[in-house]
Amino acid sequence: MTHPPHDSSPSYATYPWQPVTPPPTPPPPPRTTPRHPALGHHRDLRVLRTAYRRQRRVATLTALGYFTLFLLLSACAPSLMNGTVSGGLTTGLLLGLVQLPVMCVAIALYEFTARRRLDQLAARLRKLAELEAGRG
């Protein structure tokens, strides 16, 4: 006579307040491959990230580059910076005053290129994401 293995009998709760163990969950159904690539790996999303990164670098390097040039000229060429441009206005003061318009131009170019190129691509990706969410 063979005896059943010790784990074949059902287990009962020893105490009445013990929670009932739920039955095992069935395995998920097999996944079908989508017609479109996942949004996180979409080519346009990579292009958008690269364009934003390039745009930030250009704007930052424009503003910081001018400021660094101003500092280097102040440290290495004090005679040039002390030179008079007109009516008591020195070259250093003129270059310092020009720094604000350079920053404003960098910001304006950043916004212009973002509206012209990046916003269109972002809107297209947003619409694609909404369509994908509507299908699922």
Side-chain angles (χ1 to χ4, degrees):
M1 173 185 240
T2 61
H3 295 287
H6 65 359
D7 60 349
S8 67
S9 63
S11 60
Y12 298 102
T14 308
Y15 302 103
W17 56 83
Q18 284 182 328
V20 177
T21 57
T25 57
R31 297 185 76 180
T32 59
T33 57
R35 281 194 277 168
H36 303 288
L39 192 59
H41 302 290
H42 201 274
R43 180 186 169 279
D44 288 339
L45 191 58
R46 286 193 309 267
V47 169
L48 183 65
R49 285 184 194 137
T50 303
Y52 269 127
R53 190 177 304 123
R54 183 180 302 130
Q55 188 179 18
R56 284 190 313 261
R57 285 179 184 163
V58 167
T60 302
L61 290 177
T62 300
L64 288 179
Y66 184 81
F67 182 69
T68 304
L69 176 69
F70 177 75
L71 289 179
L72 285 174
L73 285 174
S74 297
C76 298
S79 61
L80 173 71
M81 298 298 270
N82 286 332
T84 304
V85 176
S86 68
L89 182 66
T90 63
T91 309
L93 184 59
L94 180 66
L95 290 177
L97 292 173
V98 169
Q99 189 170 1
L100 183 64
V102 167
M103 294 269 246
C104 291
V105 166
I107 291 169
L109 283 174
Y110 182 88
E111 288 182 3
F112 175 75
T113 56
R115 284 192 187 116
R116 187 170 172 217
R117 295 182 183 158
L118 301 177
D119 287 351
Q120 293 173 1
L121 185 58
R124 189 172 66 202
L125 282 172
R126 193 175 299 118
K127 184 177 275 189
L128 178 66
E130 289 172 358
L131 288 174
E132 288 293 323
R135 287 186 204 162

